[in-house]
Amino acid sequence: MPDYAVVTFYSTHHALKAERILKKEIMISVVPVPRSISTNCGISIKFLTKDSGKAEEILKENHVDFEGIFPWPEG
Amino acid sequence: MEKIDARGLACPQPVILTKKAIEAGAEQIEVLVSGDIARDNVKRMAEKLGCPTSYEKKEDCWQLNIKSAGNICKKVVEKGKSTAIFINSNKIGKGSDELGEVLMKAFFNTLSQSEPWFDKVIFMNGGVELVVEGSPVLDALRCLLDKGVQILACGTCLDYFGLKEKIAVGIISNMYDIVDVFTETDKVVTV
């Protein structure tokens, strides 16, 4: 099983914008925020851990606010 | 030997004619149909009724051979709990289309992560866009398929959108099959 990470947002609008931008560059899937990660917005974006750096870079370049990037919880 | 010539008939006509013949108690039925989809739909219906079915390619059509020794053709009703999910759009709900599309992705990605509590997912109208090439939820649907979930896409709808050739997951179904699912299933969840 590859390792995954997930980025969470303060607002659904930011999540939607991030999805639009990130899907052009890396493999992502839209998922509800895992219950074990507390956040303000229900939608998060999951990608391979190895793409974390790239994802963070892209989001910053495009001025998309995000809450944090977390390891995808096991199970 | 009962012969049914259903060549060129529109869906679900071949299925209806064959079903009538089986229910009327014909022992051997030979059915001619034009296309692959009609062939598969007729075969599926006959086998669901417990009738062994084979087919062979003829010059300009398919010939199905159905054995239906009267009494073996009791309808197989699946016992126990069964649930179907009915998807009639490529997005969830009304309000924002953009949000609706993302919600649909999140929905299927979540479904594919859990043990399926449903047997079938049915796609109609704009929902069929989710089962064709380029669909954002294809991986999730393939994952469900691997777990034994049946995926049915409305053939009329695929045809309407010009997507019949592009189906990437599941089987092309018809109103007849879909109404059967609703009739036999304990619970239908419409998304």
Side-chain angles (χ1 to χ4, degrees):
Chain A
M1 273 289 276
D3 274 347
Y4 290 100
V6 64
V7 56
T8 63
F9 303 88
Y10 292 110
S11 137
T12 306
H13 289 281
H14 293 146
L16 297 186
K17 187 174 175 196
E19 195 256 351
R20 246 184 353 253
I21 296 165
L22 286 176
K23 73 177 173 194
K24 293 180 199 152
E25 309 279 342
I26 57 173
M27 287 275 295
I28 57 163
S29 52
V30 180
V31 292
V33 177
R35 287 195 190 94
S36 57
I37 302 173
S38 151
T39 91
N40 299 320
C41 161
I43 296 281
S44 60
I45 296 173
K46 186 179 168 188
F47 39 75
L48 288 168
T49 306
K50 69 173 177 63
D51 290 332
S52 289
K54 196 170 179 196
E56 188 173 351
E57 211 174 286
I58 295 167
L59 292 176
K60 282 183 175 160
E61 261 172 35
N62 290 278
H63 309 291
V64 183
D65 275 348
F66 59 93
E67 187 183 35
I69 296 177
F70 303 91
W72 183 253
E74 291 298 313
Chain B
M1 164 78 80
E2 171 104 19
K3 291 190 179 191
I4 298 170
D5 185 354
R7 281 176 294 181
L9 293 183
C11 136
Q13 221 43 46
V15 175
I16 293 175
L17 291 172
T18 311
K19 192 167 185 233
K20 276 189 183 150
I22 293 173
E23 283 167 353
E27 290 187 2
Q28 278 269 357
I29 308 168
E30 192 183 289
V31 188
L32 302 178
V33 294
S34 304
D36 295 4
I37 294 165
R39 176 199 70 197
D40 291 346
N41 281 338
V42 169
K43 183 168 191 281
R44 204 159 53 239
M45 182 277 300
E47 284 174 347
K48 215 161 97 189
L49 295 178
C51 309
T53 301
S54 60
Y55 57 75
E56 53 196 289
K57 181 92 186 103
K58 295 287 172 188
E59 210 170 295
D60 62 337
C61 64
W62 290 94
Q63 179 184 321
L64 290 122
N65 302 303
I66 302 169
K67 283 196 186 65
S68 113
N71 55 357
I72 65 158
C73 270
K74 284 196 198 104
K75 192 153 191 169
V76 186
V77 179
E78 288 165 31
K79 286 278 170 214
K81 284 197 172 173
S82 54
T83 302
I85 298 179
F86 181 52
I87 307 281
N88 56 31
S89 166
N90 62 345
K91 20 187 130 44
I92 292 185
K94 295 187 180 73
S96 157
D97 286 354
E98 186 193 26
L99 178 63
E101 279 173 26
V102 165
L103 291 175
M104 189 61 93
K105 288 183 212 172
F107 177 66
F108 276 105
N109 287 335
T110 307
L111 282 186
S112 69
Q113 279 165 30
S114 56
E115 270 317 299
W117 41 268
F118 48 94
D119 321 283
K120 297 183 176 73
V121 189
I122 297 168
F123 294 87
M124 263 197 177
N125 208 333
V128 298
E129 286 179 21
L130 299 170
V131 302
V132 300
E133 288 162 26
S135 150
V137 299
L138 222 46
D139 287 343
L141 290 177
R142 288 200 175 110
C143 178
L144 291 175
L145 208 62
D146 287 344
K147 291 179 180 172
V149 173
Q150 245 193 315
I151 290 169
L152 305 174
C154 158
T156 309
C157 312
L158 286 163
D159 193 52
Y160 178 88
F161 292 108
L163 293 172
K164 219 166 197 168
E165 312 301 322
K166 295 211 169 110
I167 185 163
V169 63
I171 50 174
I172 298 178
S173 190
N174 54 68
M175 192 62 89
Y176 211 64
D177 269 359
I178 292 170
V179 169
D180 266 357
V181 171
F182 289 166
T183 311
E184 291 163 6
T185 304
D186 296 320
K187 191 164 80 179
V188 177
V189 177
T190 302
V191 174

